[in-house]
């Protein structure tokens, strides 16, 4: 499961051998890849991790979701029936440093494929190359969400981004670019993938999946107009449709199969070598009840909303299958928020009514002038632009929170929209999620060994 543990053990072993020249010989039979198939096998190795559920860095997996949910306010951290979940974000900071280090070997593998397959015209080469561009772009997106401050329009040229590693160079030590430069590079990778017209499903990241991730990137960088257009394209032309009320529970709690509106998900291989591990940790979320603020969103007749019985039991404990996935409903909700920020409020509400019609039995169509007033004590009090929440935006956030409970989404919603601070009580102590904790620290060794590398605010010492 842990690439970092395996890698660290290998480095230690090699260091011990090389220091004393115990085994001062080159590996026998080692040959650099040369054929299209050999380079494609590098990508297949990465993709097998996604299918087996071991990937924590691209699509994500069960462990990723559990960590993100434990940091967010979806669960009531003041009531816990077990010690397996962190109580707040500060408890996972050291692991986030190790995660940062673990992204870059995957970037390196993508660079090797890109450098050697660029310009080759064979079908295998083009499919592997498109996959490498897409995976690298998604790695940068996930790094940006975790290790950079949220996008702040007008400041993005001075906000810290990520090192841009264009090519495989073991001696290179690039410094952090600006957030704007990072976003531009990330999006360019997705455009290069799309230019190769990816259709081979063996490489997972086909055209509509790549477009969906590009839409997520545009959404995070607050390009509302471009994101709205791309979401409309996906909703209208991808061939995916919203899962209805009858199929929702089957889709959301499928053990391994990507049913209904699921565009891509982890752990589709039901004979994965990690199944024993997942069996052990999948109940972790069920040791802490859902927050009362979440449960109240389902109203006085929660059983009419298919998301409630598919996600929670009578004790408010999670029953939802915990897997990382990308679903069409996320595209619809992104489109709704983009339309809201563009001033197209009826269009945004139409999206919400469509979602509710496919989630709530007998859902009444909502009107703009009859929406619930803004709740003064909600966690999110300002939007991504720093403006006060309106009744319509509150509705969009409410539907998103219900839709993606136990899917690792809420933490990033809190980060995008004001980075609110709150506290929990654990073991008799008060722990506060501070604003700076939404942005994880860069790996300390990089700060110490790369002259000019800047650490994120809050972790300088």
């Amino acid at each position: 499961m842990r690439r970092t543990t395996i890698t660290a053990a290998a480095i230690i072993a090699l260091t011990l051998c090389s220091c004393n020249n115990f085994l001062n010989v080159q590996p026998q039979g080692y040959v650099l890849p040369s054929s299209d198939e050999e380079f494609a096998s590098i990508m297949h190795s990465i993709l097998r991790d996604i299918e087996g559920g071991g990937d924590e860095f691209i699509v994500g997996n069960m462990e990723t979701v559990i960590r993100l949910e434990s940091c967010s306010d979806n669960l009531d951290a003041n009531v816990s029936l077990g010690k397996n979940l962190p109580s707040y974000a500060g408890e996972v900071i050291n692991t986030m440093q190790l995660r940062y280090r673990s992204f870059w070997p995957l970037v390196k593998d993508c660079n090797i494929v890109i450098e050697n397959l660029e310009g080759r015209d064979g079908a295998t080469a083009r499919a592997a190359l498109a996959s490498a561009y897409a995976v690298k772009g998604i790695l940068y997106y996930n790094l940006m969400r975790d290790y950079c401050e949220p996008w702040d329009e007008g400041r993005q040229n001075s906000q810290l981004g990520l090192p841009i590693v264009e090519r495989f160079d073991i001696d290179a030590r690039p410094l952090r670019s600006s957030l704007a430069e990072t976003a531009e590079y990330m999006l360019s990778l997705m455009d290069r993938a799309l230019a190769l017209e990816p259709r081979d499903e063996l490489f997972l990241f086909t055209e509509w999946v790549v477009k969906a991730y590009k839409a997520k990137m545009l959404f995070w960088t607050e390009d509302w107009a471009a994101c709205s257009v791309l979401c409309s394209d996906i909703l209208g032309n991808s061939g995916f449709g919203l899962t209805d009320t009858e199929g929702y529970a089957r889709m959301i709690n499928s053990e391994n199969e990507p049913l209904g509106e699921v565009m891509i998900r982890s752990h589709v291989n039901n004979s994965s070598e990690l199944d024993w591990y997942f069996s052990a940790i999948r109940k972790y979320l069920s040791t802490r009840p859902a927050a009362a603020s979440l449960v109240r969103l389902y109203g006085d007749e929660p059983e009419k909303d298919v998301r409630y019985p598919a996600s929670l039991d009578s004790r408010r404990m999670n029953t939802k299958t915990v897997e990382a996935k990308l679903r069409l409903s996320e595209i619809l909700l992104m489109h709704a928020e983009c339309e809201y920020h563009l001033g197209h409020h009826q269009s945004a509400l139409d999206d919400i009514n469509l979602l509710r019609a496919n989630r709530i039995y007998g859902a009444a169509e909502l009107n703009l002038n009859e929406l619930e007033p803004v709740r003064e004590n909600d966690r999110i009090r300002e939007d991504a632009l720093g403006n006060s929440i309106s009744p319509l935006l509150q509705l969009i956030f409410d539907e998103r929170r219900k839709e993606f409970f136990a899917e690792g989404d809420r933490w990033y919603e809190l980060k995008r929209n004001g980075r609110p601070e709150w506290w929990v009580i654990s073991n008799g102590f008060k722990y506060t999620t501070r604003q700076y904790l939404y942005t994880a620290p860069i790996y300390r060794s990089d700060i110490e060994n790369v002259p000019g590398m800047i650490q994120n605010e809050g972790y300088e010492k």
Side-chain angles (χ1 to χ4, degrees):
M1 183 67 181
R2 297 278 188 186
R3 286 177 179 269
T4 53
T5 303
I6 296 170
T7 303
I11 292 171
I12 292 170
L14 288 171
T15 303
L16 290 174
C17 290
S18 60
C19 285
N20 295 284
N21 294 318
F22 289 141
L23 195 63
N24 191 17
V25 294
Q26 293 295 322
Q28 300 303 298
Y30 177 77
V31 179
L32 284 172
S34 58
S35 70
D36 294 354
E37 290 73 18
E38 288 169 335
F39 284 111
S41 70
I42 296 175
M43 294 311 303
H44 282 306
S45 178
I46 294 173
L47 302 178
R48 275 194 298 272
D49 258 0
I50 297 173
E51 293 179 321
D55 159 56
E56 298 179 37
F57 309 102
I58 306 165
V59 175
N61 66 358
M62 188 182 297
E63 187 170 346
T64 311
V65 171
I66 290 172
R67 172 178 53 82
L68 290 170
E69 288 296 310
S70 69
C71 291
S72 82
D73 63 345
N74 272 344
L75 303 175
D76 189 346
N78 295 308
V79 180
S80 181
L81 303 180
K83 304 288 186 182
N84 293 316
L85 288 180
S87 296
Y88 85 123
E91 292 186 42
V92 302
I93 287 304
N94 283 332
T95 65
M96 293 301 291
Q97 286 196 67
L98 295 176
R99 279 178 56 80
Y100 178 83
R101 180 181 65 177
S102 299
F103 276 91
W104 298 105
L106 292 167
V107 172
K108 177 263 296 177
D109 287 345
C110 291
N111 280 343
I112 290 173
V113 173
I114 290 168
E115 289 177 40
N116 287 279
L117 291 187
E118 189 70 73
R120 299 194 190 186
D121 291 329
T124 298
R126 289 175 62 86
L129 183 60
S131 180
Y133 276 129
V135 167
K136 186 179 176 182
I138 296 167
L139 287 167
Y140 266 89
Y141 166 68
N142 289 330
L143 278 163
M144 182 176 66
R145 287 200 301 173
D146 283 337
Y147 299 96
C148 299
E149 291 183 342
W151 189 270
D152 188 353
E153 187 65 35
R155 292 184 56 242
Q156 67 270 27
N157 289 311
S158 59
Q159 288 179 287
L160 285 171
L162 300 163
I164 293 178
V165 184
E166 182 69 49
R167 307 190 67 80
F168 173 57
D169 182 352
I170 199 167
D171 296 319
R173 297 290 186 272
L175 299 178
R176 300 177 70 174
S177 64
S178 71
L179 188 57
E181 291 168 331
T182 298
E184 181 180 6
Y185 182 62
M186 169 188 72
L187 289 164
S188 74
L189 293 168
M190 306 310 278
D191 287 336
R192 292 181 209 177
L194 290 169
L196 292 162
E197 301 179 344
R199 297 190 179 93
D200 190 338
E201 294 185 358
L202 289 175
F203 288 89
L204 300 186
F205 295 94
T206 52
E207 176 187 3
W208 295 108
V209 176
V210 175
K211 284 185 174 180
Y213 272 103
K214 182 181 178 183
K216 285 164 68 77
M217 296 171 185
L218 291 168
F219 186 70
W220 189 262
T221 57
E222 300 176 8
D223 191 341
W224 313 120
C227 183
S228 178
V229 169
L230 186 52
C231 287
S232 294
D233 182 26
I234 296 167
L235 292 166
N237 302 309
S238 67
F240 288 91
L242 281 180
T243 301
D244 61 17
T245 51
E246 297 301 322
Y248 180 84
R250 292 193 301 275
M251 178 266 294
I252 207 65
N253 286 317
S254 170
E255 290 290 328
N256 300 102
E257 194 175 355
L259 299 179
E261 66 187 49
V262 176
M263 304 181 75
I264 190 171
R265 58 161 284 174
S266 67
H267 202 195
V268 296
N269 180 356
N270 62 0
S271 60
S272 167
E273 62 184 7
L274 297 171
D275 281 354
W276 67 269
Y277 176 74
F278 295 141
S279 295
I281 70 168
R282 68 189 317 156
K283 296 180 181 179
Y284 283 5
L285 287 186
S286 300
T287 62
R288 188 173 294 169
S293 61
L294 169 62
V295 175
R296 283 195 293 268
L297 298 181
Y298 291 98
D300 297 331
E301 298 179 290
E303 66 281 354
K304 288 187 176 181
D305 191 321
V306 296
R307 293 170 292 194
Y308 187 89
S311 304
L312 297 167
D313 64 17
S314 59
R315 300 183 304 151
R316 299 182 0 222
M317 296 295 189
N318 175 66
T319 60
K320 198 172 186 178
T321 297
V322 183
E323 292 291 355
K325 57 179 74 74
L326 173 56
R327 301 194 277 120
L328 192 70
S329 51
E330 182 174 2
I331 305 301
L332 182 67
L333 282 160
M334 287 194 299
H335 185 264
E337 187 169 338
C338 288
E339 289 293 280
Y340 170 84
H341 285 299
L342 292 169
H344 307 152
H345 292 179
Q346 186 58 54
S347 174
L349 185 58
D350 289 344
D351 288 336
I352 298 303
N353 279 326
L354 175 60
L355 179 68
R356 287 169 53 86
N358 285 278
R359 297 292 183 264
I360 304 172
Y361 290 106
E365 187 161 303
L366 303 176
N367 298 309
L368 285 173
N369 59 352
E370 297 176 351
L371 299 181
E372 179 185 342
V374 173
R375 298 181 295 270
E376 294 183 359
N377 60 347
D378 265 19
R379 186 79 69 209
I380 296 178
R381 299 182 182 181
E382 63 181 59
D383 66 14
L385 303 178
N387 299 320
S388 298
I389 301 300
S390 69
L392 177 56
L393 192 56
Q394 176 179 258
L395 174 65
I396 295 171
F397 288 161
D398 288 352
E399 291 300 322
R400 180 160 188 146
R401 191 178 183 189
K402 289 189 291 181
E403 186 71 21
F404 300 117
F405 167 69
E407 295 186 43
D409 182 75
R410 178 65 174 178
W411 174 252
Y412 296 115
E413 283 300 281
L414 294 169
K415 180 171 181 173
R416 277 197 321 113
N417 297 285
R419 293 182 288 176
E421 296 187 350
W422 81 94
W423 55 266
V424 298
I425 298 294
S426 179
N427 299 319
F429 293 94
K430 179 178 176 180
Y431 297 92
T432 302
T433 295
R434 300 292 185 190
Q435 191 174 78
Y436 76 88
L437 289 173
Y438 287 94
T439 303
I442 302 297
Y443 186 51
R444 183 171 179 175
S445 181
D446 285 8
I447 302 299
E448 294 174 346
N449 297 325
V450 180
M453 184 68 75
I454 302 174
Q455 180 60 279
N456 285 324
E457 182 181 351
Y459 311 102
E460 295 90 344
K461 295 181 181 180

